[in-house]
Amino acid sequence: MGGAAAVGETQTSGESGTCKAVELYDVPASDIIPKKTLAQRMLPVSIENQEYIVKLLEKYGDDYGKMARDIKMNNMQHTENKLRKIGARFLLLNEKEIRVDIPENIKSLMACF
């Protein structure tokens, strides 16, 4: 058995009987994984997605099911869950990260207003 061990298996050397675990992944020590690029660190929601979700939030409020079914406004055809994720990130932005005008009916949903 001279081959490599599969995930979760250990290799043993024949005569000495010692086990050696095979490490395949380098997992960060903390729960917070740093964002990869400067753009991701500085702006969690892109300007394009901010403009996109503001139009949908202005029309439908927080009803993501209706947003997903509107094929004219939701021209990228995002699913309800994808819109919910974009909307949640957008609503948690602070004032420095917002790059679009916020309508009055959305301000009540936002954390920073």
Side-chain angles (χ1 to χ4, degrees), residues 23-61:
E23 292 186 33
L24 298 177
Y25 303 102
D26 184 23
V27 179
S30 71
D31 291 336
I32 300 172
I33 298 174
K35 303 233 168 49
K36 294 183 183 354
T37 64
L38 179 63
Q40 289 175 335
R41 286 193 304 260
M42 300 302 290
L43 199 60
V45 180
S46 69
I47 297 170
E48 179 182 295
N49 277 346
Q50 287 185 27
E51 293 169 349
Y52 188 76
I53 200 69
V54 162
K55 289 189 298 186
L56 290 168
L57 285 170
E58 184 177 15
K59 184 171 181 179
Y60 295 109

Side-chain angles (χ1 to χ4, degrees), residues 3 6 8 12 15 25 31 37-38 44 48 51 79 86 89 105 107:
T12 59
E15 295 156 6
Y25 303 102
D31 291 336
T37 64
L38 179 63
E48 179 182 295
E51 293 169 349
T79 63
I86 295 170
R89 283 187 193 149
N105 61 341
K107 287 185 180 182

Side-chain angles (χ1 to χ4, degrees), residues 43-88:
L43 199 60
V45 180
S46 69
I47 297 170
E48 179 182 295
N49 277 346
Q50 287 185 27
E51 293 169 349
Y52 188 76
I53 200 69
V54 162
K55 289 189 298 186
L56 290 168
L57 285 170
E58 184 177 15
K59 184 171 181 179
Y60 295 109
D62 59 353
D63 191 351
Y64 296 101
K66 287 184 181 178
M67 287 181 200
R69 289 188 296 271
D70 185 351
I71 59 173
K72 289 183 181 177
M73 290 192 75
N74 184 12
N75 56 5
M76 291 188 194
Q77 294 297 294
H78 288 307
T79 63
E80 181 178 350
N81 287 334
K82 181 68 174 179
L83 290 169
R84 190 178 306 276
K85 182 186 277 188
I86 295 170

Side-chain angles (χ1 to χ4, degrees), residues 95-112:
E95 291 183 35
K96 294 185 297 185
E97 297 169 335
I98 297 173
R99 302 288 193 263
V100 295
D101 293 328
I102 307 297
E104 289 298 320
N105 61 341
I106 299 175
K107 287 185 180 182
S108 63
L109 299 173
M110 300 207 55
C112 65

